Structures are given as structure tokens and as C-alpha cells.
């Protein structure tokens, strides 16, 4: 009980909330935006995600190891600057050159002897002792290399000081160096072959970017630069100072103005490698797939994309809010936000949003927007609250696992859930209300032209619901919008392909891929792009960030390569006067300007922090070889010690290897310049190749997924009117499969009756001509020549023309099966004019010569008058089962004062009365005439086989089952006839064209049979009023009448089994099939489903405003159409309306079910195919270009998945190929 | 009668099964690669060192095995549903399947990345998560049963593999393997079964129409 009250309270609260949201959308959206921004404000303080190292500079003089406790004071100290660093890096930067340069020297001399000097410098460093402290005691001792790096074992130090220099290539042994015939090969043999993203061995050992080492055969500058890198585990200022002094003393560097007072601490973040990136990317892909599949379900709103965006914004901003709130309350996120984010989205989910949308959309359309929102909200309130409570419970359980990571996740999730709820309630609901209002406005605009005379609806809160609806009664159902209405149910794979094509996904992926590629290139910097960019940036903005020492990091673009520029000393602007700036005077000491460009060693500010030019992975890579991680730790880089070496040419010649002179520089050796270029080319080629492969892959994918060549055999678009192209919401017209109607022509007037047994097709027009067609090919087989009557021109009497009453004549006329494409276009200027074309007989050749000779001109008056007469009744013609109108019309036609006495009795048929009902079984056509006469014709030969004139009242409906014919008459009586055949033996039976399908179970008659038709029983007062519908199946005959009742008879003994009462109007439609399903619809708009065995009513639904015009059942549902232009689909077992389709005004009411899920309806000059499962329009087939005024009144579904419909004076045979494919 | 290539492809039973198996295989391979990457990062599993250098960071035979298993399981689930005559009713939509996959990846993520106090806690949490996954996305008894059976079989197989020294776990706590492995297997079976059922939905629809036509 309290639960129920709680529920009511929640519902009421939600209702009020919905009203609030829909009433004040703009203030509420502003409010939510403001609150989102407020909650996200703390996020500004969080560091931006990134893995680049962070620097902090301190002075060398007063350096002490930072303490562990939090900085507290002087807040410029970053919080990672605590405790000792992993290592102190001391670099000794050696610049060596052979000078003066001598033309007798070979290119190898540029670097061989300078490199050779590394060993002596190394020796010096190793042996340096300052007050009993040696390097061995201070340096960082390393152990084994990682097991995977065996090939580096020879190069990198193990079990000792971490001291790397180019000498490591030769195990720090001078003798190995001297014995090495090809130094470059030794250096390059360790380089990785492909594209490298991390620091290479050459970088590690040389300690300067590969290009600046100068170790190449094409080094025009002839200066070799390398470093000796020492990693110290503890910092002894005096030892370092003494080492510096010693080296400077030994190898004095002239004009060296490097600053030596700054120590840079570099902090490394946790690195995200590709290995960690892939799962992350995967989770994001899954996340986006989830969002895509979820938002795709949003339907029936004005802007699908807008709402989907709103949903995503809701979820994302709720997450941001939760992170912001958590930060605000001191919960610093330790989890990697990017990693848990997808899971949070999945936990929070988009379900609530979808449920809300669905609920609001499914409220009645005729309500006011405010009320709709409120009602939708309150409908779903309980489930939303329940879900939220469940989720909170689950998260609470998760919280009690007491695992810190999970606890933190849960905390975030709770805050995220709450803020998501808040946003759903305020933000999304409001957006939804705006959307619904827009849709309503659009609806209004759409309908406005139709009701132009109506006063515009008041914009006030209360719309005049009490006023009777305008001429078009406002529909009960949701009127689908035009685009959604034309929604196509395409196969999923096609949708995917369309999606790809529509968003140009392939191109975009390639573009994004290229951009990412370039980004990676710039980031990892294989070609020096980054320095270039950095240099340009630094030129534009002279002062960098506060953390960096001013103007230290970046050098001007590629220090000049040409030897002349080296002569000019670099300008080196010095804004901060340096304390140890003592070397200015020494510059004059070296004025040796040699005409042969002699190498000159210069020291510029760019040499101070040469390590900045290295890859940012340089240090992590070096330490990771010894399984030391720098992630979340820092190293301190001490100022470099400059060493200048000048070598005499003689020394260079002495150190030559014997092979150096006589091997010319082989072209295969890559210089570093060339290598960089090559890398660039390789990358470009690889990128191009990848792009091409991607395109090919997508193309193949498309071919595989889309085997049919839709584009090639497509039909020219002129066929279909442009505006009526059914388009899906993706803007794609469907693949036009070849549904081309086959037009059967020959009737001169509108077709009245249509009957088929699957093989043959019989039609009868107002001119009382019966034509028999082959239902497969559309050939006209027989014309039962009642239309030979022509009003002769002058005499006014009827003449019978018997010239073209047989098959041969039919074919000679060349007017039947013509593809519609070839028909001449007829301008549809006057839609309200009667169609006079059937009256124009252009077939002069077939006229008897006497006729043409004697005629003195046609009198069109009578014909035109008749056509107008027809035209006036045509609105009611749209609904053939509507009995009073059509009957009246038929009678009026039948009563025409024709019947000339000199009618030639070619067949003794009844020519004066019109055909009101017709049935076809086997090859017998049964016709019921207005005179009450029942005739049986041979469909093939066109001869009258027998006739019965027992009744006098006109036959309104016929049923022909097995060998029984049931005829319903105008006066309400029901006659049962038996057809008896006395069959001569041994005769073949004609069954249409041979080789087609299976035989229907109906009996066959051959032309030699003697057929008689006898009235077996006549039920005189079957109904009180005229019988309107007669259906027979499964041994039962069901009649519906104007007297509101349905009666069920047994066919064998014509005994009335039940009288079914339940309708409050005349019966207009009945459906019965082999499975004894009986459904009836009446003028009151109700549909009843009956149990034929017991006569009880199974269900009774109110379906339509106005008559139910036709009814069809499938195994699962009932489809009804009514005068209100609605097609409703009901669940057969429960009687619940599944959905309804609003058709255009004046659409025909004809229906047919082709397969379990394919519905076909007739419309204005077209037939439409619908997917019954979803209610989507599959395709509309236009029967003719000139078909505006003609609506399809009768529609028959044949066994071979073809449909036949009448359409003016033409018949149209439409094959449905897709169904044919499914059939077998 | 003539049939279009697509329709015949869909309605052709063996073809359909083949397509589904191929798709499931790919899903399995993909998940195996990604999830293995997660495990390798944290040095949970150790493969012989020379394969580590490759980007896929696991032995070559792992993804195909997982793919085959995924194909088998994904075909087995709808087949079992049909045999037992109780079709899976619970929210059969792709968004739900995606959610399921995301949760599965999350469980793997948790097993590899979250530091738990002890192994029992980790295993219990993962077991609870796996059962929660089943409850949220499956809820069929047959699915649960099949999941448990396959999880047990897979655990046994892994034990044998490790016993024979094909690979090893860094800190085994359940004979030779980690105790959370059965939970992961169970969750994986549920996930793949979910995908398989969703894929089978298409064939089911088409064949239903076909039987009606017949």
C-alpha cells in the first residue's frame, strides 16, 4: 500500500516537473547550462592530459635534494619535485675538429681522429679523483640489461657505471677502434631498419641528435659533436665542479659562454604506449557503437540528430560534472580518466533518455505539448526511479569491496548517476519539449493548406479541442511525417554501406589517418620537423612559458651548413648578463681565417641544453634498458661541460686506417641527411600505400556486401516522379528493383468486376465486356463479346460489331500488354475532368470498311454525357464494398434504355443487364447480372455454357466454391446452385499455358463437357435487407448484410449455422480463409473477430471513423482499412492495435497481403508495398504516368505473388520479384 | 524461381552459418588480441621473450584459438535456444550487445589493472561481476549452464597448457593459473553468446518468413 502511494506521489511529482519543463524551456536550459559550467569549473585546475615531460629549473649553487614533505610554501615548486631524482645527468659535450683543414685529407678524417679522442677524454673522466672520491663511487651503478636486449649487450655498459659515449661502439677500447675499417658501418649497424619512434642507439651514445654529430662523409662543417653522458646517483657539487675545472683546463674552449648555473629537473609522466592505447581505443570504439545503436532507436521526433546529440551531451556533461564535483570536494582523481570513462558511460547509459523519448512520443498527439511531456514523464517515472535505485544499490555493493580503485570508480559513478538524473530531468526533457513543439508546428504547417479556410489555431495554452475537427477528422493515430513515412526498411548491410557512403567515411578515415600520421611524425620527429616548427614558434613569440628559462631551448633553424656562414659568429643575443661571462676577450686569439674553409668550433647558446633537441623518450629509453622506469619520477640534468678538441692534420693522418684512403666513399652508405630524407620518403610512401590499401579494402568490402549492381541496371529516373521518390532518412532512394507493372488494356470503360483463380484472370467493365487474360503473361485470351455494341454515329441505335471478338482480333489490335513505359504521356491538366480517352477509338483499321465509308462524322454528345455521368459517381466508386452507392450506380447503368430488339443473339447471353458479380473457377466464369440471371461462360472459348434464370432480383455477390455457386440477391435472398458436369471420357483439359505452377483444387471443365447449373436451394429471407458481402471458404459461406448481421452457412447443405450479431451498422467487409478465421467490419467502424466453430465473438474493436472498407488477416494480425484513409494493423489474438498508417486522402481502400509480412495497398494511380512488421513503406509502384485521378479500387493477390488491380479502364499486373525470390 | 544473390545467401542455411561463423571468428580474434594486450602490459602472462617484440604481443596461436572458440560458442547459443525451444527474449538489440561487450572488456580491464588486496578478493569481485553480466544481458538458464560448462572446460584446457609449459602465469594461485580465469571465461562465453544470438536473429527472421511461404 505505501508502495502504491509512493508510486502515485512519484508519478505526480514527475507530472508537475514535466509541466514545468515544457512551460519554461529557455530559462531551464539556461539554468542547466550554468550549473554544468559551474560544476565543470574545477576541472580547469586539473592538468591537461599528456605524456610530455615537465621541466623545473633551479640554480646549481644552492641546490639541495628536495624534501619529501609537501611543498606548502613557495608554490612555484611543482608537486612532483620531491625526494631525490632517479639520476643526475652530467653531459660532457665534445666538439672536435681537424684544423686547419688540408686538401690532402679524405672525408673519413673528419671524424675518425676526433672520435678517437673520446677514449682519452673518457680515461680522464674515469680516473678523475677529488679528495678520495672517484666517479665509481658517485655514479649510477647499473646491473644487467633487460633480457630482450641481447644484441645491445656489446654496446651498452653492464655491471658498472652508467656512462655512455660513442666509445661504447668499440667497447671503450682504442685498439678496437683503430682496427675498425669502417666506422660508419659500425655506427649504423645498430640503427633500426624501419620507422622508429623512440630514441635510437646512435642518439643514446652520441647524446646529440643524429644530424648534429657530424659523423658522416658529407659533413661540410667538419666539426664532430658528441657527448659523454654520465649518470650520477648522488650529487657531489665539489666533485662535479672539480671535474668541470679539470676538463676545461685540459681542453679549453675558447669563446665559450655557456651558462653553468642552472639545473633542469625533468619529470616524466606515465607513458602510454601503443600496447596500452589499443585497448583504450577499443573501448572507445565499443562506446561509440553503443551510442550509435542506442540513439538510432530515437524515432518519430522532429530532429533525430538533434535529440541524439542532446542525449550524448547529457551523458558527457554529467560525467564532466561528476569529475568536477569530485575534484571540488577534494577527491583527486587518481584513476586514469580516459580509461574509466567508457565504462562510466556504459554504466550510466542512454537508456533513460530513450525511454523518456519513447514515452513522450507515444502519448496522444492531439494533447497539448506541455501535457504530453508531463504525461510521458509520469508514465515512466516509476521505472526510472526503480532503475536508478537498482543502479545505486549495485554501486553501493561495489563500494563495499574496499578495493581503492573500485571504490573510487563507484564514487564517480554515484555522482555521475545523480548528475545524469538531474540533467535528464532538466536538460533533456526540455530539449524534448522543444523538439515536440517544433514537430507540432511543422505538422500544422503541413496541414494548413488543406484547411486554409480555417482560422489559425490560437497559440495560447488551450487549443480549441472542443471545436469539431476540420473536414479531415484529426487522426487517432500519430501522423507520421513525410520522411519517416517514406521510411525504408533496407537490409542492414545496405544501411551500413549507405552510412559509409553518406558520411564519406572512407575519405574521412583516410584524412584523419593522414593527419594522425603527420602528427606522429611531428611528435616523434624523425626528420627534424619539430625543431623547425619550434624555431618558427620561438621566433614569433620570444618568451616561452614561465617554467622554461628564457630563450634557452630552441636554436635558430638549422645552423647554417655552408662554411661561410660559420665564419660569422652567431649573434647570440644575451638579455640576461651572465655572471661567468668572462670569455669575450679570448675571441681575438683565433683569427686564423684560412682561405680553405677551415673548420671552426663555435659555442652558442644552443649548445647549453642540447639534450632538448633529443627525443623526449631519450632518457626513459636509456633507463628502461636497465629496467629503471622514469614514469612519475624525475631526473636532474646538470649543466654541460664543454670540451673543445683541435686536432692537427698530421694527427688525423696518423690515426687513419689503411682502408680509409683507398676506399672511396661508397654510395650505399647513408648519410644522415640522406637518411632523414629517406625516412621521410619511406613514411610518405608507406602512408600512400596504406591509403590505397584502405580504399581497395573498402571497395572490396562494398563489392562483397553489395553483390547486386544496383547502379547499373537502374531504371531511368524519369519514370518515377521526382517528388514521390521514396527516400529514407539517409537521403537515399531505394534500389529500384524491377517492379514494372504490366498493363492489360482493352476495356473501353472502367472495370467493374475482377476475378481470378490464379491462372486466369477475368475482368468485366461497365461496357459489359468480359475479357479473360492469362494471369502469368498478361495475354488477352478471350473477349466475351458484349462490347461489340457501339452507338452508331447518326442513327442513335446500337450496332453490334463482331469484328474483333476473338483472340486473333485481340492480338491484331496491338493494344494489350504494352509496357507502361511506351505509353504516350497524357497531360494531367484537368484532374476533375472525366476521362474521355476510352471513348476515343483510334483503331480505325479494325473498323469495318462499310462503317468508315458511311460515317458522316461522329456524334460525341452521348458518349460525353455518359462519361460525365460516370464521373459524378466516381467519388463513391472509390469504395466498392460500400453497397448503397455502388448498387445504385449499377442499377442506373443497367436501367439505361438500351437493349435494341435487333440484338444479334450470337451467344444467347443476356446483354442488356449489367454484370454485378463475377467469379472464376477452373475455366468457368460465373457472372451474376442485374437481371438476376446467372451465367456460366467458358473462359477459353468465350461461349456461354449454361445460364439460370430462376431468380429475378439482381445478383449482388457470387461465391464459387468447388462445384457450388452461391448467389446473393438484392432482395436479401441467398441461392445455392450446383454445377453438374457430364464429362466425356478421355479428353484433355485445358489448363492455361502449359508448364505453369500447380493446379488449383477447383474442378476443371473441358469444352466438350455438358454443364448444367441447377438451383438446389434458395434461402428466401437470408437477411432482412440486401446482402452486401458474400464470402466463402473452408466449406462455409458467410454473408453480411445491411441488417447489421453476419450469417454463416454450410456449403454442402446450405444450412444456416449461426447468425452473428454485434455490429451496429451494415456489414461492409468480411474476411474468411481456409483456417476458418472470420472477421467482419461494419459501417460503424467496428471490426469483429468470430469463432466460426462456435459462433462466439472473439474480439470486438473500434477501429475506424466511418466504414470499414476492407479486411485482411494474416496469421498474426488483422489489417483493416476504412473510409478515414487509415490502415490499421491489429494483433489478431489480443485485438490490440499495433499501429496504423495514415494514407493520403482519397486513396483506394483496397488491400492485399502477399506474404506474411508484405502488405499491398492501392492508392491514387499507384500501389504501395508495406512491411507489415514495421509499418514501413517499401515501395510505391506507379501504374501510369497519367494516373492522378484514377484510384485503384480492386486489388487481387494471385498465387504467384503477382497482384492485379484495376485502374480506370486498365488492369495492371504487378509482379513482386522480391517476394518471388522468397517463395521457394 | 530465380533468386537474388543476397536473398539466396541469407536463406541458404550453410552459407548463413558460414558468414556468422566468420564474423564471430573475427570478433574472437579481435577480443583476444586486445585483451591479451591488457594482460601482457601488466606482465600477468609470460610468453617466450622473442614473441614479445611483435605488436600483437602474444603467441600466434592464441587469437585463432579464441576466434574458433568464439565461433563455436556463438553458433552454439542460438542453436541451443532453438533446440530447447525457448528463444531468448531479453532486450535483443545491438545497443545492448555493445553494452555487454563493453562490460566484458571492463571486467578484463579490472582483472588486469586494478590492484586488489589479495587474489581471493579479486576473484570474488570478478565472479560477482560476471554473474551480474549474465543477469543483466542474458538471464536464461540455458545460457548460464552453457557458460559454466564452457568456463570449466576452458579452465581445464588452460591448466593443461600451462602444465605442459606452453606459457605461464607470473603468480599462479589456483594450481597453475590465476583463480579469476574461470570468471573471465564465463563472462566471455556470455558475451560471445549474446553476439551470436543477435547475429542469428537475422537468419531466424528470414527463415521464419520462408516457412510461412512454404
Amino acid at each position: 500500500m505505501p508502495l502504491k502511494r509512493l508510486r502515485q506521489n512519484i508519478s505526480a511529482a514527475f507530472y508537475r516537473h514535466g509541466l514545468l519543463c515544457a512551460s519554461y524551456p529557455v530559462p531551464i536550459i539556461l539554468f542547466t547550462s550554468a550549473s554544468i559550467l559551474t560544476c565543470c569549473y574545477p576541472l580547469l585546475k586539473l592538468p591537461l592530459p599528456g605524456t610530455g615531460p615537465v621541466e623545473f629549473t633551479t640554480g646549481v649553487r644552492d641546490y639541495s635534494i628536495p624534501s619529501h614533505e609537501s611543498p606548502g610554501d613557495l608554490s612555484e615548486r611543482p608537486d612532483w619535485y620531491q625526494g631525490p631524482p632517479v639520476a643526475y645527468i652530467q653531459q660532457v659535450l665534445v666538439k672536435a675538429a681537424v684544423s686547419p683543414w688540408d686538401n690532402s685529407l679524405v672525408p673519413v678524417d673528419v671524424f675518425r681522429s676526433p672520435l678517437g679522442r673520446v677514449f682519452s677524454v673518457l680515461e680522464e673522466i674515469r680516473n678523475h679523483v677529488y679528495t678520495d672520491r672517484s666517479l665509481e663511487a658517485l655514479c649510477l651503478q647499473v646491473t644487467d640489461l633487460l633480457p630482450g636486449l641481447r644484441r645491445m649487450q656489446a654496446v651498452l655498459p653492464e655491471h658498472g657505471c652508467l656512462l655512455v659515449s660513442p666509445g661504447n661502439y668499440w667497447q671503450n677500447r682504442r685498439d678496437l677502434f683503430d682496427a675498425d675499417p669502417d666506422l660508419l658501418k659500425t655506427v649504423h649497424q645498430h640503427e633500426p631498419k624501419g620507422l622508429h619512434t623512440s630514441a635510437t642507439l646512435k642518439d643514446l651514445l652520441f647524446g646529440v641528435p643524429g644530424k648534429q654529430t657530424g659523423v658522416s662523409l658529407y659533413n661540410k662543417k667538419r666539426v664532430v659533436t658528441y657527448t659523454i653522458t654520465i649518470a650520477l646517483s648522488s650529487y657531489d657539487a665539489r666533485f662535479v665542479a672539480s671535474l668541470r675545472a679539470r676538463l676545461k683546463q685540459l681542453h679549453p674552449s675558447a669563446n665559450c659562454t655557456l651558462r653553468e648555473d642552472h639545473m633542469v629537473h625533468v619529470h616524466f609522466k606515465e607513458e602510454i604506449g601503443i600496447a596500452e592505447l589499443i585497448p583504450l581505443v577499443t573501448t572507445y570504439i565499443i562506446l561509440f557503437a553503443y551510442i550509435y545503436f542506442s540513439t538510432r532507436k530515437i524515432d518519430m521526433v522532429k530532429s533525430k540528430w538533434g535529440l541524439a546529440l542532446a542525449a550524448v551531451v547529457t551523458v558527457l556533461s554529467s560525467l564532466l560534472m561528476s569529475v568536477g564535483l569530485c575534484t571540488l570536494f577534494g577527491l583527486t582523481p587518481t584513476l586514469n580518466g580516459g580509461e574509466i570513462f567508457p565504462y562510466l558511460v556504459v554504466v550510466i547509459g542512454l537508456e533513460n533518455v530513450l525511454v523518456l523519448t519513447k514515452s513522450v512520443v507515444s502519448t496522444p498527439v492531439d494533447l497539448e505539448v506541455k501535457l504530453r511531456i508531463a504525461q510521458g514523464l509520469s508514465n515512466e517515472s516509476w521505472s526510472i526511479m526503480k532503475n536508478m535505485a537498482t543502479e545505486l544499490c549495485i554501486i553501493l555493493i561495489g563500494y563495499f569491496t574496499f578495493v581503492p580503485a573500485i571504490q573510487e570508480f563507484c564514487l564517480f559513478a554515484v555522482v555521475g548517476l545523480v548528475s545524469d538524473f538531474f540533467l535528464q530531468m532538466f536538460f533533456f526533457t526540455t530539449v524534448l519539449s522543444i523538439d515536440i513543439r517544433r514537430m507540432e508546428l511543422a505538422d500544422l504547417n503541413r496541414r494548413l493548406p488543406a484547411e486554409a479556410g480555417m482560422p489559425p489555431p490560437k497559440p495560447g495554452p488551450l487549443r480549441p479541442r472542443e471545436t469539431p475537427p476540420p473536414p479531415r477528422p484529426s487522426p487517432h493515430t500519430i501522423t507520421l511525417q513525410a520522411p519517416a513515412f517514406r521510411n525504408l526498411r533496407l537490409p542492414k548491410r545496405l544501411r551500413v554501406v549507405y552510412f559509409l557512403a553518406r558520411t564519406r567515411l572512407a575519405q574521412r578515415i583516410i584524412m584523419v589517418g593522414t593527419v594522425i600520421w603527420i602528427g606522429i611524425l611531428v611528435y616523434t620527429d624523425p626528420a627534424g620537423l619539430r625543431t623547425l616548427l619550434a624555431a618558427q614558434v620561438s621566433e614569433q613569440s620570444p618568451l616561452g612559458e614561465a617554467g622554461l628559462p628564457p630563450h634557452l631551448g630552441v636554436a635558430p633553424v638549422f645552423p647554417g651548413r655552408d662554411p661561410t656562414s660559420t665564419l660569422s659568429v652567431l649573434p647570440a643575443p644575451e638579455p640576461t648578463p651572465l655572471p661567468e661571462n668572462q670569455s669575450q676577450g679570448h675571441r681575438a686569439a683565433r683569427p686564423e681565417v684560412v682561405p680553405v674553409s677551415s673548420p671552426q668550433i663555435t659555442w652558442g647558446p644552443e649548445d647549453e641544453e642540447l639534450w632538448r633537441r633529443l627525443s623526449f623518450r631519450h632518457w626513459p629509453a636509456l633507463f628502461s634498458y636497465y629496467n629503471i622506469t622514469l614514469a612519475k619520477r624525475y631526473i636532474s640534468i646538470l649543466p654541460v661541460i664543454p670540451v673543445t678538441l683541435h686536432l692537427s692534420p698530421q694527427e688525423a693522418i696518423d690515426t687513419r686506417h689503411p682502408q680509409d684512403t683507398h676506399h672511396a666513399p661508397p654510395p650505399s652508405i647513408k648519410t644522415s641527411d640522406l637518411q632523414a630524407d629517406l625516412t621521410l620518403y619511406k613514411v610518405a610512401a608507406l602512408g600512400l600505400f596504406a591509403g590505397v590499401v584502405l580504399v581497395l579494402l573498402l571497395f572490396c568490402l562494398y563489392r562483397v556486401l553489395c553483390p547486386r549492381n544496383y547502379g547499373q541496371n537502374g531504371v531511368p529516373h524519369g519514370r518515377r516522379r521526382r517528388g514521390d521518390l521514396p527516400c529514407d532518412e539517409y537521403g537515399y532512394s531505394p534500389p529500384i528493383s524491377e517492379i514494372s507493372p504490366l498493363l492489360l488494356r482493352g476495356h473501353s470503360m472502367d472495370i467493374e468486376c475482377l476475378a481470378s483463380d490464379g491462372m486466369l484472370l477475368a475482368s468485366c467493365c461497365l461496357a459489359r465486356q468480359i475479357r479473360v487474360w492469362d494471369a502469368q503473361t498478361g495475354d488477352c485470351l478471350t473477349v466475351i463479346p458484349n462490347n461489340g455494341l457501339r452507338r452508331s454515329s447518326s442513327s442513335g441505335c446500337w450496332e453490334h460489331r463482331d469484328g474483333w471478338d476473338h483472340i486473333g482480333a485481340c492480338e491484331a489490335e496491338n493494344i494489350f500488354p504494352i509496357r507502361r513505359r511506351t505509353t504516350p504521356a497524357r497531360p494531367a491538366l484537368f484532374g476533375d475532368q472525366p476521362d474521355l480517352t476510352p471513348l476515343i477509338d483510334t483503331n480505325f483499321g479494325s473498323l469495318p470498311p462499310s462503317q468508315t465509308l458511311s460515317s458522316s462524322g461522329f456524334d460525341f454528345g452521348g458518349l460525353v454525357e455518359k462519361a460525365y455521368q460516370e464521373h459524378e459517381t466516381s467519388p463513391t466508386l472509390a469504395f466498392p464494398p460500400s453497397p448503397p452507392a455502388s448498387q445504385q450506380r449499377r442499377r442506373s447503368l443497367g436501367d439505361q434504355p438500351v437493349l435494341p430488339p435487333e440484338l444479334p443473339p450470337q451467344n444467347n447471353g443476356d446483354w442488356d443487364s449489367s454484370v454485378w458479380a463475377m467469379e472464376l473457377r477452373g475455366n468457368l466464369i460465373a457472372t451474376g447480372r442485374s437481371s438476376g440471371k446467372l451465367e456460366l461462360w467458358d473462359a477459353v472459348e468465350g461461349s456461354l455454357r449454361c445460364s439460370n434464370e430462376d431468380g429475378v432480383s439482381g445478383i449482388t455477390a457470387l461465391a464459387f466454391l468447388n462445384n457450388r455457386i452461391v448467389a446473393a440477391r438484392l432482395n436479401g435472398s441467398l441461392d445455392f446452385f450446383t454445377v453438374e458436369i457430364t464429362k466425356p471420357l478421355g479428353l484433355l483439359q485445358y489448363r492455361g499455358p502449359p508448364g505453369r505452377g500447380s493446379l488449383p483444387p477447383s474442378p476443371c471443365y473441358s469444352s466438350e463437357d455438358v454443364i448444367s447449373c441447377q438451383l438446389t436451394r434458395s434461402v428466401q429471407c437470408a437477411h432482412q435487407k440486401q446482402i452486401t458481402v458474400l464470402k466463402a471458404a473452408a466449406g462455409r459461406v458467410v454473408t453480411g448484410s445491411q441488417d447489421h448481421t453476419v450469417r454463416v452457412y454450410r456449403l454442402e447443405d446450405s444450412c444456416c449455422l449461426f447468425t452473428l450479431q454485434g455490429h451496429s451498422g451494415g456489414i461492409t467487409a468480411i474476411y474468411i480463409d481456409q483456417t476458418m478465421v472470420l472477421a467482419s467490419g461494419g459501417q460503424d467502424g467496428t471490426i469483429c473477430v468470430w469463432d466460426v466453430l462456435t459462433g462466439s465473438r472473439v474480439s470486438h474493436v473500434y477501429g475506424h471513423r466511418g466504414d470499414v472498407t476492407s479486411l485482411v488477416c494474416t496469421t498474426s494480425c488483422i489489417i483493416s482499412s476504412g473510409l478515414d484513409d487509415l490502415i490499421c494493423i491489429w494483433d489478431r489474438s489480443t485485438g490490440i492495435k499495433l499501429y496504423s498508417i495514415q494514407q493520403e486522402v482519397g486513396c483506394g481502400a483496397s488491400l492485399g497481403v502477399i506474404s506474411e509480412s508484405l502488405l499491398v495497398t492501392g492508392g491514387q494511380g499507384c500501389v504501395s508495398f508495406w512491411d507489415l512488421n514495421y509499418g514501413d513503406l517499401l515501395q510505391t509502384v506507379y501504374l501510369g504516368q497519367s494516373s492522378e485521378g484514377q484510384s485503384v479500387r480492386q486489388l487481387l493477390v494471385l498465387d504467384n505473388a503477382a497482384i492485379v488491380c484495376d485502374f480506370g479502364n486498365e488492369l495492371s499486373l504487378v509482379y513482386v520479384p522480391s517476394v518471388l525470390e522468397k517463395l521457394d | 524461381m530465380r533468386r537474388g544473390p543476397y536473398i539466396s545467401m541469407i536463406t541458404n542455411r550453410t552459407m548463413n552459418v558460414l558468414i556468422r561463423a566468420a564474423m564471430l571468428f573475427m570478433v574472437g580474434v579481435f577480443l583476444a588480441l586486445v585483451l591479451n594486450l591488457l594482460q601482457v602490459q601488466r606482465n600477468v602472462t609470460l610468453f617466450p621473450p622473442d614473441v614479445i617484440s611483435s605488436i600483437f604481443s602474444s603467441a600466434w596461436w592464441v587469437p585463432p584459438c579464441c576466434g574458433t572458440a568464439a565461433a563455436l560458442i556463438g553458433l552454439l547459443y542460438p542453436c541451443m535456444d532453438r533446440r530447447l525451444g525457448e528463444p531468448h527474449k531479453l532486450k535483443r538489440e545491438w545497443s545492448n550487445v555493445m553494452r555487454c561487450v563493453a562490460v566484458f572488456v571492463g571486467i578484463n580491464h579490472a582483472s588486469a589493472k586494478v590492484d586488489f588486496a589479495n587474489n581471493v578478493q579479486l576473484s570474488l569481485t570478478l565472479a560477482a561481476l560476471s554473474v551480474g553480466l549474465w543477469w543483466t544481458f542474458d538471464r536464461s538458464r540455458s545460457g548460464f549452464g552453457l557458460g559454466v560448462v564452457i568456463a570449466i572446460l576452458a579452465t581445464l584446457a588452460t591448466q593443461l597448457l600451462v602444465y605442459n609449459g606452453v606459457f605461464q602465469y607470473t603468480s599462479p594461485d589456483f594450481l597453475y593459473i590465476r583463480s579469476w580465469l574461470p570468471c573471465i571465461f564465463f563472462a566471455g562465453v556470455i558475451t560471445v553468446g549474446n553476439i551470436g544470438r543477435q547475429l542469428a536473429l537475422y537468419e531466424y527472421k528470414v527463415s521464419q518468413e520462408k516457412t510461412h511461404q512454404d
Side-chain angles (χ1 to χ4, degrees), chain A residues 870-926:
Chain A
E870 269 175 47
H871 183 70
E872 275 163 14
T873 54
S874 66
T876 49
L877 272 180
F879 313 103
S882 158
S886 59
Q887 296 227 344
Q888 202 165 7
R889 182 178 132 262
R890 285 173 189 169
R891 208 172 306 133
S892 74
L893 276 175
D895 294 340
Q896 272 176 2
V898 283
L899 184 65
E902 70 274 17
L903 182 81
Q906 183 210 22
N907 291 310
N908 44 355
D910 174 17
W911 296 120
D912 52 340
S913 56
S914 58
V915 176
W916 280 2
M918 184 167 71
E919 273 292 307
L920 176 65
R921 276 292 169 268
N923 52 351
L924 276 188
I925 302 171

Side-chain angles (χ1 to χ4, degrees), chain A residues 1024-1046:
Chain A
Q1024 309 297 321
K1025 291 183 180 170
Q1026 67 177 13
I1027 294 172
T1028 52
V1029 207
L1030 172 71
K1031 289 277 158 80
R1036 297 285 184 275
V1037 176
V1038 185
T1039 57
S1041 157
Q1042 283 286 354
D1043 63 359
H1044 305 184
T1045 59
V1046 175

Side-chain angles (χ1 to χ4, degrees), chain A residues 890-1062:
Chain A
R890 285 173 189 169
R891 208 172 306 133
S892 74
L893 276 175
D895 294 340
Q896 272 176 2
V898 283
L899 184 65
E902 70 274 17
L903 182 81
Q906 183 210 22
N907 291 310
N908 44 355
D910 174 17
W911 296 120
D912 52 340
S913 56
S914 58
V915 176
W916 280 2
M918 184 167 71
E919 273 292 307
L920 176 65
R921 276 292 169 268
N923 52 351
L924 276 188
I925 302 171
T927 54
R929 294 191 174 270
S930 56
S931 59
K933 197 168 172 184
L934 178 74
E935 295 168 339
L936 281 178
W937 297 82
D938 188 308
V940 179
E941 303 196 339
S943 56
L944 183 69
R945 304 304 297 267
C946 78
S947 74
N948 188 308
E949 298 179 44
D950 289 343
V952 284
S953 182
I955 296 177
T956 58
L958 270 179
F960 194 166
L961 205 64
N962 301 332
N963 57 347
R964 286 173 189 273
I965 297 174
V966 186
R969 295 190 188 272
L970 202 57
N971 58 6
S973 64
L974 198 62
D975 290 353
F976 290 79
F977 297 92
T978 310
V979 180
E980 285 169 1
I981 316 154
T982 47
K983 188 178 283 197
L985 290 170
L987 276 173
L988 284 174
Q989 298 172 345
Y990 178 74
R991 284 301 313 148
R996 288 272 191 179
S998 60
L999 299 176
S1002 56
C1004 300
Y1005 312 95
S1006 67
S1007 53
E1008 276 76 18
D1009 294 349
V1010 177
I1011 295 174
S1012 63
C1013 179
Q1014 281 165 0
L1015 180 68
T1016 48
R1017 175 143 188 245
S1018 177
V1019 183
Q1020 271 312 317
C1021 267
H1023 284 281
Q1024 309 297 321
K1025 291 183 180 170
Q1026 67 177 13
I1027 294 172
T1028 52
V1029 207
L1030 172 71
K1031 289 277 158 80
R1036 297 285 184 275
V1037 176
V1038 185
T1039 57
S1041 157
Q1042 283 286 354
D1043 63 359
H1044 305 184
T1045 59
V1046 175
R1047 286 191 160 200
V1048 182
Y1049 293 86
R1050 198 151 55 205
L1051 191 63
E1052 300 97 68
D1053 52 2
S1054 38
C1055 150
C1056 177
L1057 297 176
F1058 307 108
T1059 301
L1060 309 175
Q1061 290 177 328

